[in-house]
Amino acid sequence: MPGPLAEQGLVPPAANDAAVGPVILVADDETELTDEICDYLSRYGLQPVPVNSFADCMKVLTTRTVDAIVLDQRFGPVDTLPLLPTLRGLTQAPILIHTGNREETDRVLGLELGADDFVLKPVSGRELVARLRARLRSAPPKVAANAPAPAPVVAAPVPAAPLVAPSAPAMESTGWRVVPSERRAYRPDGSVVRLTTAEFDTLVALASKPGEVRSREELTRIVFRRTWRPGDRSVDNAILHLRQKLAPDMGEGCIATVRQLGYVFTGFGNA
């Protein structure tokens, strides 16, 4: 018997039927564009579920299983990037942000907050299908696509608490200081290095164990409070921006990449 969303026309009755193709939630406030995308996905064996408001998007995610999401960044008055942690609390399905915004900062922010990929408008149907199939292949096997994420993700927003005990001393090297209790990093001249929460937590995680290789999986759990998945670039982006903000003083000298293993903090003095 169809549920209330199916009666409203939001979800096809067969949305959870294992006999059909992967279910793709297509969420965009442009009805004509949504219909066009859905029509193309249908031709390639995918089962699109169109919604044209963020409220309906949330209704689908709380009542149906989906395998992937194509989500408009500017959903009417709603900027969906800050809401990605909320969506991650409802689903582990790959999220592709559909956007006309070419700003790198938004893409980096979206990836840090839980998006899996960005596709620029206008995207060809063929490219969108290829990207969706690639994400579906890399999804964990035999796990419900929108089964609840691990507890740390569905919990209330993680407070800006230090990763080590508040009484821990500052980590110092050649005049540089990383002070977890203040959540600040200082240059030798005393000026503050302006870092995002993810960048600071990544620096603390690395600098607290100098010389020890820390994998992307480990850093993802510590910094982003979720499980690392193939293709997840959140840690790499945090490292990239750390290096940029420490440059030209440090460059890549204090954080070295260990191929196929992860990253290691080599000490400010080695730069």
Side-chain angles (χ1 to χ4, degrees), residues 85-151:
T86 300
L87 297 182
R88 273 285 162 248
L90 297 173
T91 179
Q92 296 182 57
I95 299 176
L96 283 69
I97 301 295
H98 194 206
T99 181
N101 188 349
R102 297 177 180 271
E103 290 293 328
E104 180 189 17
T105 53
D106 273 13
R107 294 198 302 275
V108 171
L109 175 63
L111 293 170
E112 288 184 347
L113 291 175
D116 295 277
D117 201 356
F118 274 72
V119 288
L120 289 174
K121 296 181 179 181
V123 62
S124 71
R126 188 173 181 180
E127 179 184 352
L128 181 58
V129 168
R131 286 179 179 270
L132 283 168
R133 285 178 172 170
R135 291 297 170 184
L136 291 169
R137 284 196 301 270
S138 64
K142 298 182 181 179
V143 175
N146 65 335

Side-chain angles (χ1 to χ4, degrees), residues 41-83:
L41 297 185
S42 298
R43 298 182 209 170
Y44 283 82
L46 302 173
Q47 185 184 5
V49 176
V51 296
N52 299 119
S53 74
F54 190 74
D56 287 341
C57 175
M58 295 295 287
K59 288 178 185 176
V60 171
L61 292 178
T62 53
T63 57
R64 291 290 187 271
T65 295
V66 302
D67 297 292
I69 303 168
V70 179
L71 178 65
D72 190 10
Q73 179 181 347
R74 302 293 180 184
F75 212 146
V78 178
D79 181 354
T80 58
L81 294 191
L83 298 173

